[in-house]
Amino acid sequence: MGITIKKIASELKLAVSTVSKALAGSHEISPETRQRVVEYARSVDYIPNAYASSLRKRTTGNIGVVLPEVADSFFSDAINGIESVARQKGYHVIIYLTHDDQQKEQAILNDFRSGRVDGVLMSVSLGDGSHTHIEEMAAQKPLVFFDRAWQDVTAARVLTDDVESGYNATHHLLEKGCRRIGFLSVHKNLNIIQQRLQGYKNALADHGRPVRDEDIIDCTHPDTNYDTLKTLLTNPNPPDGLVCSVESLTLLAYRVCHALNLAIPNAVRVVGFSNLGIAALLNPPLTTITQPAFAMGQAAATLLFNALERRTKADVPELKILPSVLHERASTQ
Amino acid sequence: MGITIKKIASELKLAVSTVSKALAGSHEISPETRQRVVEYARSVDYIPNAYASSLRKRTTGNIGVVLPEVADSFFSDAINGIESVARQKGYHVIIYLTHDDQQKEQAILNDFRSGRVDGVLMSVSLGDGSHTHIEEMAAQKPLVFFDRAWQDVTAARVLTDDVESGYNATHHLLEKGCRRIGFLSVHKNLNIIQQRLQGYKNALADHGRPVRDEDIIDCTHPDTNYDTLKTLLTNPNPPDGLVCSVESLTLLAYRVCHALNLAIPNAVRVVGFSNLGIAALLNPPLTTITQPAFAMGQAAATLLFNALERRTKADVPELKILPSVLHERASTQ
């Protein structure tokens, strides 16, 4: 600390602008002077101020990743995919968590607008708030949504085929003999939930089963979800199959079944969206719809770097859809 | 974009320095002029450049958190603890992952030296490399280690009593009747592993048991750990108890036992360090040593903000040690 361009200039009896240009490798400065400045700067352990330096270069060397949480295994796998690409490009990945708080999300994006990152990968926060803050940022910097996206914001996106996944999960339970299937939902405005639910409805229709509103359970409020699910499963006519639309609800379903001594799969079959590596070690092993989280992270980062290298907006926002896989295990046998 | 202080100054026929000071709320500028500038800036949607602005304020509003990974539940809980404090202070938490790559760690810290964050919370990467890059950063900015720390770097630290935890885990297995206990270790240079191992040795000594080198298994290399463990458990005289020093090794032990049809706890009892919320849902439910991850994150962030507010180094680096808890479940019954 304390070593500034000014001090270097004074020591070497050069103009500040000469030192600054020499350190930036400018050809306006003779090779001899450049070398003299660079060697002296090195000898006094001069560290260029990144902020000043990025003001000049207009690039930060960072991409921002905005996520609800890292406790969900989808997100930790996706981060690894993102980093595998960023590392090759020599970029730092900096991760910001919203905890599904739209105000926090807005504060993060406002911070980005003023120049902390070159581009943003984002899986949006749940909530009913407006999306203006996302639109405003997307107008200024490359943005790629992955997994969770808002339909009304124009940006590239990397998704799985959630209609198909919801269909496959429901179809699988019907094939196993389930007669009444509950769909555990969170925040119905969200693209991935809407589509998984649509798949659920399509599968019921294809099997000639009615869609019953009381079987679609809103689990948006963490504090009450446990009781909501307990009430559902202790009904006189409870579901004998559950499609859990996110990982946390899958684990909650297991917790409630364990607490109620409801045997999985005999009393209720469970299939859930999850990337947990330990799904097979659960009691019983869990049938999962597994999203290609790592590949989705890679694809999203690749789209972002394409945009950064192109430096112009694509005419039509890019869309990549990658397939999910159903892993059948004991929880649905 | 495109709106600069210069443009505002030209529009309002004021000096650039006047506009700049007015936007910063300087008392050198009359309230009337300040209001005029701020209102005009707002009307043209002026966004201050964060980098330029932090050059002046010498503060970034960010704290950096440097971690090996987020897939380990300890780290995702600790992040939540850190964020609970940072949010109150109005700071952004930005997370960088090292993936236990010391070169990557070094690149991140070098980036910090040039001013991206005001202070750093860190759980160090495994590896045999030097720690000079950490020392250099610690000389310039407040640094607090949490959980994983190097003994030779002077910095505040928040730890659990790992000797005691290792002792409790081993003592528990001995009380349950285990006669030969394997200790699954990673990177023996690391403080937490050295101390957990010391606790293991102390417990064996207190029970009059010998410490056998062949029972201390180095699982530092992810690619070969599965086979290492398989070899151990198919020995003619295999251990009947395992202390797993980190979460990933605990889950690996489960995987190998499942693959070998070795019943837990009948053939081998397993206790592992883990903060997994679903430990009770595993087959069988896992006995854990659970670190107070959230509280450790909170404590580490609190020490960091104390240092930032004090703006001087503590004479003696602070040390907080929080207790871990053994949760007994079926894997050791």
Side-chain angles (χ1 to χ4, degrees):
Chain A
M1 300 292 270
I3 299 293
T4 60
I5 289 189
K6 219 164 158 181
K7 281 199 186 160
I8 296 175
S10 137
E11 281 302 314
L12 299 180
K13 302 198 195 324
L14 291 170
V16 169
S17 62
T18 306
V19 172
S20 170
K21 285 176 184 171
L23 288 172
S26 165
H27 290 286
E28 293 175 49
I29 310 299
S30 74
E32 294 73 29
T33 306
R34 265 189 279 154
Q35 195 182 343
R36 202 172 132 225
V37 170
V38 167
E39 280 176 3
Y40 179 78
R42 199 174 289 145
S43 75
V44 295
D45 202 19
Y46 168 72
I47 301 159
N49 185 303
Y51 287 179
S53 148
S54 56
L55 262 180
R56 288 190 299 272
K57 286 194 289 175
R58 297 185 175 277
T59 167
T60 65
N62 292 326
I63 60 169
V65 177
V66 184
L67 299 170
E69 50 165 337
V70 287
D72 186 301
S73 60
F74 170 81
F75 291 120
S76 52
D77 284 0
I79 289 170
N80 291 343
I82 292 166
E83 292 204 323
S84 72
V85 176
R87 184 180 294 223
Q88 284 176 354
K89 300 284 181 181
Y91 267 69
H92 288 296
V93 172
I94 65 183
I95 302 164
Y96 291 75
L97 305 184
T98 61
H99 298 282
D100 275 323
D101 173 343
Q102 288 191 318
Q103 281 196 322
K104 170 97 178 151
E105 181 180 86
Q106 187 164 355
I108 293 166
L109 296 199
N110 283 344
D111 203 45
F112 288 170
R113 289 173 70 194
S114 44
R116 293 205 194 281
V117 297
D118 292 346
V120 178
L121 296 166
M122 185 169 183
S123 213
V124 304
S125 286
L126 304 178
D128 297 313
S130 93
H131 310 145
T132 318
H133 59 290
I134 307 180
E135 276 166 31
E136 285 176 358
M137 200 209 54
Q140 299 189 351
K141 284 185 202 298
L143 166 69
V144 180
F145 286 131
F146 66 101
D147 195 46
R148 294 178 173 198
W150 296 122
Q151 313 286 8
D152 59 349
V153 178
T154 307
R157 54 194 75 206
V158 175
L159 309 172
T160 44
D161 188 336
D162 285 297
V163 178
E164 186 177 277
S165 303
Y167 186 98
N168 290 346
T170 312
H171 174 76
H172 175 70
L173 290 176
L174 290 164
E175 292 277 302
K176 292 293 175 180
C178 290
R179 309 182 63 172
R180 186 176 169 193
I181 299 174
F183 183 91
L184 306 189
S185 164
V186 283
H187 201 79
K188 291 178 188 171
N189 289 346
L190 198 64
N191 64 316
I192 59 171
I193 301 301
Q194 283 174 342
Q195 293 177 9
R196 291 169 192 180
L197 180 60
Q198 188 58 53
Y200 162 86
K201 290 177 178 174
N202 294 353
L204 289 176
D206 280 0
H207 284 254
R209 301 295 176 90
V211 174
R212 285 183 291 211
D213 285 347
E214 63 270 32
D215 290 348
I216 301 167
I217 314 297
D218 180 34
C219 299
T220 300
H221 307 290
D223 294 345
T224 54
N225 287 346
Y226 188 94
D227 290 333
T228 302
L229 209 47
K230 206 165 164 181
T231 305
L232 175 74
L233 292 170
T234 50
N235 268 345
N237 178 25
D240 57 0
L242 290 178
V243 175
C244 308
S245 64
V246 294
E247 184 172 287
S248 60
L249 292 177
T250 312
L251 301 175
L252 182 70
Y254 263 55
R255 263 193 207 107
V256 173
C257 288
H258 280 232
L260 295 174
N261 276 321
L262 270 178
I264 305 171
N266 297 345
V268 56
R269 291 184 173 83
V270 178
V271 52
F273 283 78
S274 172
N275 286 64
L276 272 180
I278 53 168
L281 302 177
L282 292 175
N283 178 23
L286 171 68
T287 296
T288 56
I289 298 283
T290 300
Q291 295 176 268
F294 187 92
M296 286 173 77
Q298 275 188 316
T302 302
L303 288 185
L304 187 68
F305 283 108
N306 288 350
L308 286 170
E309 284 157 17
R310 205 170 48 220
R311 290 181 180 281
T312 54
K313 271 198 144 174
D315 293 337
V316 178
E318 289 145 306
L319 171 65
K320 281 216 173 191
I321 297 182
L322 303 179
S324 292
V325 178
L326 187 144
H327 291 286
E328 183 175 341
R329 300 195 183 89
S331 72
T332 55
Q333 267 162 19
Chain B
M1 300 292 269
I3 299 294
T4 61
I5 288 189
K6 218 163 156 180
K7 281 198 186 161
I8 296 174
S10 138
E11 281 300 314
L12 299 180
K13 302 195 194 327
L14 292 169
V16 169
S17 61
T18 306
V19 172
S20 171
K21 284 176 184 172
L23 288 172
S26 164
H27 290 286
E28 293 174 50
I29 309 299
S30 73
E32 294 72 29
T33 305
R34 264 190 279 154
Q35 194 181 343
R36 203 172 130 226
V37 170
V38 167
E39 279 177 3
Y40 180 77
R42 198 174 290 146
S43 75
V44 295
D45 203 19
Y46 168 72
I47 301 159
N49 185 304
Y51 287 179
S53 148
S54 55
L55 262 178
R56 288 189 301 271
K57 287 194 286 174
R58 296 186 176 278
T59 167
T60 64
N62 291 327
I63 60 170
V65 178
V66 184
L67 298 171
E69 51 167 335
V70 286
D72 186 301
S73 59
F74 171 81
F75 292 120
S76 51
D77 284 0
I79 289 170
N80 290 342
I82 291 166
E83 293 204 324
S84 72
V85 176
R87 185 180 293 225
Q88 284 177 354
K89 299 283 182 183
Y91 267 70
H92 287 296
V93 172
I94 65 183
I95 302 163
Y96 290 74
L97 304 184
T98 62
H99 298 282
D100 275 324
D101 173 343
Q102 286 191 318
Q103 282 196 322
K104 170 95 180 155
E105 182 180 85
Q106 187 164 354
I108 293 167
L109 296 198
N110 283 344
D111 203 46
F112 287 170
R113 289 173 70 195
S114 44
R116 293 205 194 279
V117 297
D118 292 346
V120 178
L121 297 167
M122 185 169 181
S123 212
V124 304
S125 286
L126 304 177
D128 297 313
S130 92
H131 310 145
T132 317
H133 59 290
I134 307 181
E135 276 166 30
E136 284 175 359
M137 199 209 55
Q140 299 189 350
K141 284 186 203 294
L143 167 69
V144 180
F145 285 131
F146 66 101
D147 195 45
R148 294 177 172 199
W150 296 122
Q151 314 285 10
D152 60 350
V153 177
T154 307
R157 52 194 76 206
V158 175
L159 308 172
T160 44
D161 187 337
D162 285 298
V163 178
E164 185 177 279
S165 302
Y167 186 97
N168 290 345
T170 312
H171 174 76
H172 175 70
L173 290 175
L174 290 164
E175 292 277 301
K176 291 290 176 181
C178 290
R179 310 183 63 173
R180 186 175 170 194
I181 298 174
F183 183 92
L184 306 190
S185 164
V186 283
H187 202 80
K188 293 179 186 170
N189 289 346
L190 197 63
N191 64 317
I192 59 171
I193 301 302
Q194 284 174 342
Q195 293 178 9
R196 290 169 193 181
L197 181 60
Q198 189 57 52
Y200 162 85
K201 290 177 178 173
N202 294 353
L204 288 176
D206 280 1
H207 284 254
R209 301 294 177 89
V211 173
R212 285 182 291 211
D213 285 346
E214 64 270 31
D215 290 348
I216 300 167
I217 315 297
D218 180 34
C219 298
T220 300
H221 307 290
D223 294 345
T224 55
N225 287 346
Y226 187 95
D227 290 333
T228 303
L229 208 48
K230 206 166 164 179
T231 307
L232 174 75
L233 292 171
T234 50
N235 268 345
N237 179 24
D240 57 0
L242 290 177
V243 174
C244 308
S245 64
V246 293
E247 184 172 287
S248 61
L249 292 177
T250 313
L251 300 175
L252 183 70
Y254 262 55
R255 264 194 206 106
V256 174
C257 288
H258 279 232
L260 295 174
N261 276 321
L262 271 176
I264 305 171
N266 297 345
V268 56
R269 290 184 173 83
V270 177
V271 54
F273 283 77
S274 172
N275 287 64
L276 272 182
I278 54 169
L281 301 177
L282 292 175
N283 178 24
L286 171 68
T287 296
T288 56
I289 298 281
T290 300
Q291 296 176 268
F294 187 91
M296 288 173 75
Q298 274 188 317
T302 302
L303 288 185
L304 187 68
F305 282 108
N306 288 349
L308 286 171
E309 284 157 16
R310 206 170 47 219
R311 291 181 179 279
T312 55
K313 268 198 145 175
D315 293 337
V316 178
E318 290 145 304
L319 171 65
K320 282 217 171 189
I321 297 182
L322 304 179
S324 292
V325 177
L326 187 143
H327 291 286
E328 184 176 343
R329 300 196 183 88
S331 72
T332 55
Q333 267 163 18

